[in-house]
């Protein structure tokens, strides 16, 4: 039986500010892959961040995609990280930034990457795959989103790249399974399901 990959969710999010380079560096000390989330800035720079809004993890405010990359890169992405919940905030003011997608690819091109496209954007799908191909990462990645438009775009234009099932596809596959309906096998489809409610 193949040895399963251990994947760091948003890097090492319990030890370092999530979805940051310091988090990915910590994660790759003990895991084989990292999962992270992508958005496109107002001036079309793919960046790594989880929430739609900036308040929870940075000293910024508003929707992340409404900002230019110049506006995003000055934010402190370690400001809210308080792992012991004692208000010590060990990464605050330590230069932890929101990373560009290309920054991660430049450092970890040889690693396994799980890319969740958070934005319901066909443009971001194509740019993500372009950058992965340019960095020669396509053989070690899986790309996808809960958004069905992202799933359809991946399947139509990038059919040979492993892709996460959209939320709609997961529900439809589950319903087919419960009804005993079999579907043609798709060797590039990956179901990403939490073991508990998040």
């Amino acid at each position: 039986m193949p040895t399963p990959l251990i994947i760091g969710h948003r890097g090492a999010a319990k030890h370092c500010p999530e979805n940051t380079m310091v988090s990915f560096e910590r994660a790759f000390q003990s895991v084989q892959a990292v999962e992270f989330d992508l958005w496109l800035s107002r001036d079309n720079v793919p960046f790594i961040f989880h929430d739609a809004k900036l308040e929870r993890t940075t000293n910024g405010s508003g929707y992340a995609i409404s900002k230019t990359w110049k506006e995003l890169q000055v934010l402190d992405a370690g400001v809210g990280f308080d792992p012991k919940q004692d208000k010590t905030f060990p990464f605050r003011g330590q230069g932890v930034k929101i990373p560009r997608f290309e920054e991660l690819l430049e450092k970890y091109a040889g690693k396994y990457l799980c890319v969740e496209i958070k934005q319901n954007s066909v443009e971001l799908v194509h740019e993500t795959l372009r950058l992965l191909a340019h960095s020669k990462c396509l053989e070690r990645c899986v790309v996808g989103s809960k958004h069905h438009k992202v799933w359809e775009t991946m399947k139509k234009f990038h059919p040979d790249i492993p892709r996460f099932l959209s939320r709609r596809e997961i529900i439809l596959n589950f319903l087919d399974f419960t009804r005993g309906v079999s579907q043609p096998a798709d060797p590039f489809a990956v179901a990403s399901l939490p073991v508990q409610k998040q």
Side-chain angles (χ1 to χ4, degrees):
M1 178 179 291
T3 303
L5 284 177
I6 300 174
I7 302 170
H9 186 232
R10 305 180 205 169
K14 285 194 174 181
H15 303 283
C16 301
E18 64 182 59
N19 274 335
T20 63
M21 294 303 289
V22 67
S23 187
F24 300 134
E25 184 173 352
R26 173 67 183 269
F28 277 127
Q29 293 174 10
S30 56
V31 303
Q32 296 81 45
V34 293
E35 181 272 348
F36 53 91
D37 310 282
L38 277 188
W39 300 86
L40 202 59
S41 70
R42 198 175 78 207
D43 52 346
N44 299 317
V45 176
F47 64 94
I48 299 171
F49 198 72
H50 180 268
D51 296 3
K53 300 186 78 173
L54 295 163
E55 285 84 349
R56 182 177 66 89
T57 58
T58 79
N59 58 339
S61 62
Y63 287 97
I65 61 172
S66 73
K67 310 297 183 184
T68 65
W69 173 243
K70 185 176 180 180
E71 292 170 322
L72 291 169
Q73 66 180 337
V74 300
L75 299 178
D76 185 344
V79 70
F81 185 69
D82 187 21
K84 295 181 180 179
Q85 297 187 351
D86 58 1
K87 300 191 183 303
T88 55
F89 304 102
F91 288 88
R92 182 175 288 183
Q94 299 302 306
V96 178
K97 303 296 182 184
I98 296 172
R100 287 179 305 114
F101 183 35
E102 287 179 273
E103 184 181 359
L104 179 137
L105 294 178
E106 287 165 6
K107 187 165 186 179
Y108 298 116
K111 302 291 188 178
Y112 288 98
L113 306 174
C114 301
V115 186
E116 180 176 353
I117 295 176
K118 298 295 282 189
Q119 196 168 342
N120 197 11
S121 166
V122 170
E123 180 183 6
L124 182 53
V125 176
H126 293 309
E127 182 63 5
T128 299
L129 272 293
R130 185 189 72 80
L131 290 170
L132 285 167
H134 179 75
S135 301
K136 298 180 171 57
C137 293
L138 289 177
E139 293 181 359
R140 293 176 300 280
C141 73
V142 56
V143 180
S145 174
K146 68 179 183 180
H147 300 296
H148 194 64
K149 183 165 67 174
V150 172
W151 160 263
E152 289 180 321
T153 303
M154 286 286 301
K155 191 169 184 178
K156 180 177 180 179
F157 294 100
H158 311 282
D160 298 334
I161 304 301
R163 58 194 178 277
F164 293 119
L165 292 167
S166 67
R167 182 178 292 168
R168 174 181 168 186
E169 287 296 318
I170 289 173
I171 292 170
L172 291 175
N173 275 269
F174 177 76
L175 290 174
D176 284 344
F177 175 78
T178 59
R179 296 166 182 158
V181 177
S182 61
Q183 297 290 346
D186 183 346
F188 297 100
V190 177
S192 176
L193 301 169
V195 295
Q196 61 187 20
K197 186 177 180 180
Q198 294 182 321

